[in-house]
PDB file of all heavy atoms in Angstrom:
ATOM      1  N   VAL U 113     -23.188  -3.434  -5.396  1.00 94.00           N
ATOM      2  CA  VAL U 113     -24.230  -4.222  -4.992  1.00 94.00           C
ATOM      3  C   VAL U 113     -25.542  -3.453  -4.990  1.00 94.00           C
ATOM      4  O   VAL U 113     -26.606  -3.958  -5.559  1.00 94.00           O
ATOM      5  CB  VAL U 113     -23.914  -4.891  -3.565  1.00 94.00           C
ATOM      6  CG1 VAL U 113     -25.160  -5.569  -3.056  1.00 94.00           C
ATOM      7  CG2 VAL U 113     -22.708  -5.843  -3.614  1.00 94.00           C
ATOM      8  N   VAL U 114     -25.551  -2.371  -4.439  1.00 95.00           N
ATOM      9  CA  VAL U 114     -26.805  -1.546  -4.252  1.00 95.00           C
ATOM     10  C   VAL U 114     -27.214  -1.154  -5.750  1.00 95.00           C
ATOM     11  O   VAL U 114     -28.373  -1.281  -6.103  1.00 95.00           O
ATOM     12  CB  VAL U 114     -26.632  -0.353  -3.440  1.00 95.00           C
ATOM     13  CG1 VAL U 114     -27.824   0.556  -3.422  1.00 95.00           C
ATOM     14  CG2 VAL U 114     -26.380  -0.773  -1.940  1.00 95.00           C
ATOM     15  N   GLY U 115     -26.357  -0.610  -6.491  1.00 95.00           N
ATOM     16  CA  GLY U 115     -26.735  -0.122  -7.847  1.00 95.00           C
ATOM     17  C   GLY U 115     -27.171  -1.207  -8.723  1.00 95.00           C
ATOM     18  O   GLY U 115     -28.135  -1.079  -9.455  1.00 95.00           O
ATOM     19  N   THR U 116     -26.462  -2.458  -8.647  1.00 93.00           N
ATOM     20  CA  THR U 116     -26.888  -3.530  -9.440  1.00 93.00           C
ATOM     21  C   THR U 116     -28.262  -3.993  -9.062  1.00 93.00           C
ATOM     22  O   THR U 116     -29.125  -4.354  -9.963  1.00 93.00           O
ATOM     23  CB  THR U 116     -25.934  -4.610  -9.385  1.00 93.00           C
ATOM     24  OG1 THR U 116     -24.587  -4.181  -9.779  1.00 93.00           O
ATOM     25  CG2 THR U 116     -26.328  -5.817 -10.257  1.00 93.00           C
ATOM     26  N   ALA U 117     -28.549  -4.129  -7.864  1.00 93.00           N
ATOM     27  CA  ALA U 117     -29.853  -4.557  -7.360  1.00 93.00           C
ATOM     28  C   ALA U 117     -31.012  -3.612  -7.789  1.00 93.00           C
ATOM     29  O   ALA U 117     -32.039  -4.019  -8.328  1.00 93.00           O
ATOM     30  CB  ALA U 117     -29.885  -4.672  -5.785  1.00 93.00           C
ATOM     31  N   VAL U 118     -30.714  -2.324  -7.710  1.00 94.00           N
ATOM     32  CA  VAL U 118     -31.758  -1.335  -8.053  1.00 94.00           C
ATOM     33  C   VAL U 118     -31.961  -1.378  -9.631  1.00 94.00           C
ATOM     34  O   VAL U 118     -33.104  -1.321 -10.057  1.00 94.00           O
ATOM     35  CB  VAL U 118     -31.328   0.042  -7.601  1.00 94.00           C
ATOM     36  CG1 VAL U 118     -32.291   1.143  -8.228  1.00 94.00           C
ATOM     37  CG2 VAL U 118     -31.324   0.168  -6.086  1.00 94.00           C
ATOM     38  N   GLY U 119     -30.828  -1.516 -10.309  1.00 93.00           N
ATOM     39  CA  GLY U 119     -30.925  -1.579 -11.743  1.00 93.00           C
ATOM     40  C   GLY U 119     -31.718  -2.760 -12.265  1.00 93.00           C
ATOM     41  O   GLY U 119     -32.458  -2.676 -13.304  1.00 93.00           O
ATOM     42  N   LEU U 120     -31.399  -3.890 -11.660  1.00 91.00           N
ATOM     43  CA  LEU U 120     -32.167  -5.171 -12.103  1.00 91.00           C
ATOM     44  C   LEU U 120     -33.622  -5.045 -11.725  1.00 91.00           C
ATOM     45  O   LEU U 120     -34.445  -5.412 -12.615  1.00 91.00           O
ATOM     46  CB  LEU U 120     -31.561  -6.318 -11.288  1.00 91.00           C
ATOM     47  CG  LEU U 120     -30.120  -6.948 -11.815  1.00 91.00           C
ATOM     48  CD1 LEU U 120     -29.652  -7.817 -10.715  1.00 91.00           C
ATOM     49  CD2 LEU U 120     -30.267  -7.475 -13.156  1.00 91.00           C
ATOM     50  N   VAL U 121     -33.964  -4.546 -10.649  1.00 91.00           N
ATOM     51  CA  VAL U 121     -35.424  -4.416 -10.327  1.00 91.00           C
ATOM     52  C   VAL U 121     -36.097  -3.439 -11.208  1.00 91.00           C
ATOM     53  O   VAL U 121     -37.265  -3.772 -11.753  1.00 91.00           O
ATOM     54  CB  VAL U 121     -35.582  -3.951  -8.745  1.00 91.00           C
ATOM     55  CG1 VAL U 121     -37.035  -3.631  -8.534  1.00 91.00           C
ATOM     56  CG2 VAL U 121     -35.125  -4.974  -7.900  1.00 91.00           C
ATOM     57  N   ALA U 122     -35.437  -2.329 -11.490  1.00 90.00           N
ATOM     58  CA  ALA U 122     -36.103  -1.244 -12.302  1.00 90.00           C
ATOM     59  C   ALA U 122     -36.209  -1.749 -13.737  1.00 90.00           C
ATOM     60  O   ALA U 122     -37.236  -1.548 -14.401  1.00 90.00           O
ATOM     61  CB  ALA U 122     -35.214   0.067 -12.211  1.00 90.00           C
ATOM     62  N   GLY U 123     -35.154  -2.320 -14.310  1.00 88.00           N
ATOM     63  CA  GLY U 123     -35.195  -2.757 -15.663  1.00 88.00           C
ATOM     64  C   GLY U 123     -36.162  -3.913 -15.967  1.00 88.00           C
ATOM     65  O   GLY U 123     -36.819  -4.019 -17.018  1.00 88.00           O
ATOM     66  N   TYR U 124     -36.188  -4.880 -14.994  1.00 85.00           N
ATOM     67  CA  TYR U 124     -37.063  -6.118 -15.206  1.00 85.00           C
ATOM     68  C   TYR U 124     -38.459  -5.867 -14.909  1.00 85.00           C
ATOM     69  O   TYR U 124     -39.406  -6.354 -15.504  1.00 85.00           O
ATOM     70  CB  TYR U 124     -36.470  -7.192 -14.577  1.00 85.00           C
ATOM     71  CG  TYR U 124     -37.009  -8.542 -14.948  1.00 85.00           C
ATOM     72  CD1 TYR U 124     -36.696  -9.051 -16.215  1.00 85.00           C
ATOM     73  CD2 TYR U 124     -37.899  -9.301 -14.085  1.00 85.00           C
ATOM     74  CE1 TYR U 124     -37.246 -10.275 -16.644  1.00 85.00           C
ATOM     75  CE2 TYR U 124     -38.452 -10.572 -14.541  1.00 85.00           C
ATOM     76  CZ  TYR U 124     -38.063 -11.029 -15.807  1.00 85.00           C
ATOM     77  OH  TYR U 124     -38.654 -12.188 -16.211  1.00 85.00           O
ATOM     78  N   ALA U 125     -38.709  -5.147 -13.772  1.00 85.00           N
ATOM     79  CA  ALA U 125     -40.086  -4.904 -13.347  1.00 85.00           C
ATOM     80  C   ALA U 125     -40.832  -3.852 -14.212  1.00 85.00           C
ATOM     81  O   ALA U 125     -41.959  -4.070 -14.601  1.00 85.00           O
ATOM     82  CB  ALA U 125     -40.111  -4.458 -11.861  1.00 85.00           C
ATOM     83  N   GLY U 126     -40.144  -2.852 -14.549  1.00 81.00           N
ATOM     84  CA  GLY U 126     -40.758  -1.793 -15.414  1.00 81.00           C
ATOM     85  C   GLY U 126     -41.944  -1.088 -14.659  1.00 81.00           C
ATOM     86  O   GLY U 126     -42.079  -1.139 -13.490  1.00 81.00           O
ATOM     87  N   GLY U 127     -42.820  -0.309 -15.450  1.00 86.00           N
ATOM     88  CA  GLY U 127     -43.951   0.332 -14.890  1.00 86.00           C
ATOM     89  C   GLY U 127     -43.517   1.345 -13.868  1.00 86.00           C
ATOM     90  O   GLY U 127     -42.576   2.035 -13.992  1.00 86.00           O
ATOM     91  N   TRP U 128     -44.410   1.475 -12.837  1.00 91.00           N
ATOM     92  CA  TRP U 128     -44.225   2.439 -11.820  1.00 91.00           C
ATOM     93  C   TRP U 128     -43.023   2.302 -10.979  1.00 91.00           C
ATOM     94  O   TRP U 128     -42.368   3.165 -10.426  1.00 91.00           O
ATOM     95  CB  TRP U 128     -45.431   2.609 -10.924  1.00 91.00           C
ATOM     96  CG  TRP U 128     -45.673   1.414 -10.048  1.00 91.00           C
ATOM     97  CD1 TRP U 128     -46.508   0.271 -10.380  1.00 91.00           C
ATOM     98  CD2 TRP U 128     -45.193   1.197  -8.756  1.00 91.00           C
ATOM     99  NE1 TRP U 128     -46.487  -0.591  -9.327  1.00 91.00           N
ATOM    100  CE2 TRP U 128     -45.597  -0.067  -8.326  1.00 91.00           C
ATOM    101  CE3 TRP U 128     -44.358   1.960  -7.912  1.00 91.00           C
ATOM    102  CZ2 TRP U 128     -45.279  -0.619  -7.073  1.00 91.00           C
ATOM    103  CZ3 TRP U 128     -44.042   1.347  -6.668  1.00 91.00           C
ATOM    104  CH2 TRP U 128     -44.512   0.130  -6.257  1.00 91.00           C
ATOM    105  N   VAL U 129     -42.622   0.959 -10.809  1.00 91.00           N
ATOM    106  CA  VAL U 129     -41.434   0.687 -10.029  1.00 91.00           C
ATOM    107  C   VAL U 129     -40.165   1.230 -10.752  1.00 91.00           C
ATOM    108  O   VAL U 129     -39.315   1.880 -10.181  1.00 91.00           O
ATOM    109  CB  VAL U 129     -41.212  -0.835  -9.889  1.00 91.00           C
ATOM    110  CG1 VAL U 129     -39.908  -1.216  -9.190  1.00 91.00           C
ATOM    111  CG2 VAL U 129     -42.378  -1.429  -9.066  1.00 91.00           C
ATOM    112  N   ASP U 130     -40.118   1.003 -12.062  1.00 90.00           N
ATOM    113  CA  ASP U 130     -38.984   1.601 -12.884  1.00 90.00           C
ATOM    114  C   ASP U 130     -39.059   3.157 -12.781  1.00 90.00           C
ATOM    115  O   ASP U 130     -38.013   3.778 -12.565  1.00 90.00           O
ATOM    116  CB  ASP U 130     -39.086   1.140 -14.300  1.00 90.00           C
ATOM    117  CG  ASP U 130     -37.953   1.650 -15.142  1.00 90.00           C
ATOM    118  OD1 ASP U 130     -36.886   1.907 -14.643  1.00 90.00           O
ATOM    119  OD2 ASP U 130     -38.168   1.751 -16.373  1.00 90.00           O
ATOM    120  N   GLU U 131     -40.154   3.738 -12.926  1.00 92.00           N
ATOM    121  CA  GLU U 131     -40.305   5.174 -12.833  1.00 92.00           C
ATOM    122  C   GLU U 131     -39.858   5.738 -11.599  1.00 92.00           C
ATOM    123  O   GLU U 131     -39.083   6.720 -11.571  1.00 92.00           O
ATOM    124  CB  GLU U 131     -41.731   5.591 -13.192  1.00 92.00           C
ATOM    125  CG  GLU U 131     -41.942   7.060 -13.348  1.00 92.00           C
ATOM    126  CD  GLU U 131     -41.368   7.599 -14.677  1.00 92.00           C
ATOM    127  OE1 GLU U 131     -41.145   6.790 -15.573  1.00 92.00           O
ATOM    128  OE2 GLU U 131     -41.243   8.846 -14.662  1.00 92.00           O
ATOM    129  N   ALA U 132     -40.249   5.155 -10.529  1.00 93.00           N
ATOM    130  CA  ALA U 132     -39.938   5.700  -9.124  1.00 93.00           C
ATOM    131  C   ALA U 132     -38.340   5.602  -8.828  1.00 93.00           C
ATOM    132  O   ALA U 132     -37.728   6.467  -8.399  1.00 93.00           O
ATOM    133  CB  ALA U 132     -40.673   4.927  -8.068  1.00 93.00           C
ATOM    134  N   LEU U 133     -37.808   4.382  -9.176  1.00 93.00           N
ATOM    135  CA  LEU U 133     -36.404   4.165  -8.918  1.00 93.00           C
ATOM    136  C   LEU U 133     -35.581   5.063  -9.797  1.00 93.00           C
ATOM    137  O   LEU U 133     -34.481   5.642  -9.321  1.00 93.00           O
ATOM    138  CB  LEU U 133     -36.058   2.651  -9.136  1.00 93.00           C
ATOM    139  CG  LEU U 133     -36.609   1.734  -8.118  1.00 93.00           C
ATOM    140  CD1 LEU U 133     -36.292   0.295  -8.503  1.00 93.00           C
ATOM    141  CD2 LEU U 133     -36.059   2.027  -6.719  1.00 93.00           C
ATOM    142  N   MET U 134     -35.930   5.300 -11.011  1.00 93.00           N
ATOM    143  CA  MET U 134     -35.158   6.131 -11.913  1.00 93.00           C
ATOM    144  C   MET U 134     -35.209   7.628 -11.594  1.00 93.00           C
ATOM    145  O   MET U 134     -34.301   8.335 -11.769  1.00 93.00           O
ATOM    146  CB  MET U 134     -35.570   5.854 -13.401  1.00 93.00           C
ATOM    147  CG  MET U 134     -35.115   4.584 -13.963  1.00 93.00           C
ATOM    148  SD  MET U 134     -33.219   4.399 -13.908  1.00 93.00           S
ATOM    149  CE  MET U 134     -33.081   3.277 -12.474  1.00 93.00           C
ATOM    150  N   ARG U 135     -36.325   8.002 -11.050  1.00 92.00           N
ATOM    151  CA  ARG U 135     -36.445   9.368 -10.543  1.00 92.00           C
ATOM    152  C   ARG U 135     -35.486   9.650  -9.436  1.00 92.00           C
ATOM    153  O   ARG U 135     -34.892  10.707  -9.299  1.00 92.00           O
ATOM    154  CB  ARG U 135     -37.803   9.798 -10.220  1.00 92.00           C
ATOM    155  CG  ARG U 135     -38.836   9.645 -11.354  1.00 92.00           C
ATOM    156  CD  ARG U 135     -38.549  10.692 -12.478  1.00 92.00           C
ATOM    157  NE  ARG U 135     -37.385  10.344 -13.275  1.00 92.00           N
ATOM    158  CZ  ARG U 135     -37.493   9.357 -14.190  1.00 92.00           C
ATOM    159  NH1 ARG U 135     -38.593   8.782 -14.502  1.00 92.00           N
ATOM    160  NH2 ARG U 135     -36.409   9.197 -15.033  1.00 92.00           N
ATOM    161  N   LEU U 136     -35.413   8.621  -8.514  1.00 92.00           N
ATOM    162  CA  LEU U 136     -34.406   8.705  -7.462  1.00 92.00           C
ATOM    163  C   LEU U 136     -33.012   8.780  -7.985  1.00 92.00           C
ATOM    164  O   LEU U 136     -32.152   9.589  -7.493  1.00 92.00           O
ATOM    165  CB  LEU U 136     -34.664   7.510  -6.500  1.00 92.00           C
ATOM    166  CG  LEU U 136     -33.553   7.402  -5.305  1.00 92.00           C
ATOM    167  CD1 LEU U 136     -33.647   8.610  -4.409  1.00 92.00           C
ATOM    168  CD2 LEU U 136     -33.894   6.069  -4.579  1.00 92.00           C
ATOM    169  N   VAL U 137     -32.730   7.924  -8.990  1.00 93.00           N
ATOM    170  CA  VAL U 137     -31.356   7.977  -9.606  1.00 93.00           C
ATOM    171  C   VAL U 137     -31.137   9.301 -10.199  1.00 93.00           C
ATOM    172  O   VAL U 137     -30.042   9.831 -10.041  1.00 93.00           O
ATOM    173  CB  VAL U 137     -31.290   6.825 -10.594  1.00 93.00           C
ATOM    174  CG1 VAL U 137     -30.074   6.938 -11.445  1.00 93.00           C
ATOM    175  CG2 VAL U 137     -31.286   5.439  -9.878  1.00 93.00           C
ATOM    176  N   ASP U 138     -32.045   9.857 -10.912  1.00 92.00           N
ATOM    177  CA  ASP U 138     -31.857  11.113 -11.569  1.00 92.00           C
ATOM    178  C   ASP U 138     -31.632  12.187 -10.527  1.00 92.00           C
ATOM    179  O   ASP U 138     -30.875  13.155 -10.749  1.00 92.00           O
ATOM    180  CB  ASP U 138     -33.054  11.483 -12.400  1.00 92.00           C
ATOM    181  CG  ASP U 138     -33.267  10.636 -13.589  1.00 92.00           C
ATOM    182  OD1 ASP U 138     -32.216  10.094 -14.047  1.00 92.00           O
ATOM    183  OD2 ASP U 138     -34.401  10.535 -14.184  1.00 92.00           O
ATOM    184  N   THR U 139     -32.243  12.078  -9.349  1.00 91.00           N
ATOM    185  CA  THR U 139     -32.069  13.146  -8.320  1.00 91.00           C
ATOM    186  C   THR U 139     -30.630  13.095  -7.823  1.00 91.00           C
ATOM    187  O   THR U 139     -29.980  14.131  -7.637  1.00 91.00           O
ATOM    188  CB  THR U 139     -33.081  12.857  -7.206  1.00 91.00           C
ATOM    189  OG1 THR U 139     -34.368  13.005  -7.679  1.00 91.00           O
ATOM    190  CG2 THR U 139     -32.892  13.942  -6.112  1.00 91.00           C
ATOM    191  N   LEU U 140     -30.164  11.931  -7.616  1.00 90.00           N
ATOM    192  CA  LEU U 140     -28.805  11.772  -7.135  1.00 90.00           C
ATOM    193  C   LEU U 140     -27.740  12.195  -8.184  1.00 90.00           C
ATOM    194  O   LEU U 140     -26.793  12.932  -7.789  1.00 90.00           O
ATOM    195  CB  LEU U 140     -28.484  10.291  -6.670  1.00 90.00           C
ATOM    196  CG  LEU U 140     -29.107   9.780  -5.475  1.00 90.00           C
ATOM    197  CD1 LEU U 140     -28.856   8.347  -5.290  1.00 90.00           C
ATOM    198  CD2 LEU U 140     -28.615  10.607  -4.230  1.00 90.00           C
ATOM    199  N   LEU U 141     -28.009  11.902  -9.457  1.00 90.00           N
ATOM    200  CA  LEU U 141     -27.086  12.181 -10.489  1.00 90.00           C
ATOM    201  C   LEU U 141     -27.126  13.705 -10.833  1.00 90.00           C
ATOM    202  O   LEU U 141     -26.255  14.299 -11.471  1.00 90.00           O
ATOM    203  CB  LEU U 141     -27.373  11.455 -11.676  1.00 90.00           C
ATOM    204  CG  LEU U 141     -27.113  10.008 -11.689  1.00 90.00           C
ATOM    205  CD1 LEU U 141     -27.514   9.283 -12.994  1.00 90.00           C
ATOM    206  CD2 LEU U 141     -25.617   9.665 -11.388  1.00 90.00           C
TER     207      LEU U 141
END
Side-chain angles (χ1 to χ4, degrees):
V113 172
V114 175
T116 301
V118 172
L120 284 170
V121 172
Y124 193 69
W128 67 268
V129 175
D130 181 27
E131 186 71 18
L133 291 176
M134 285 303 102
R135 296 298 74 78
L136 175 61
V137 169
D138 291 339
T139 301
L140 287 175
L141 293 177

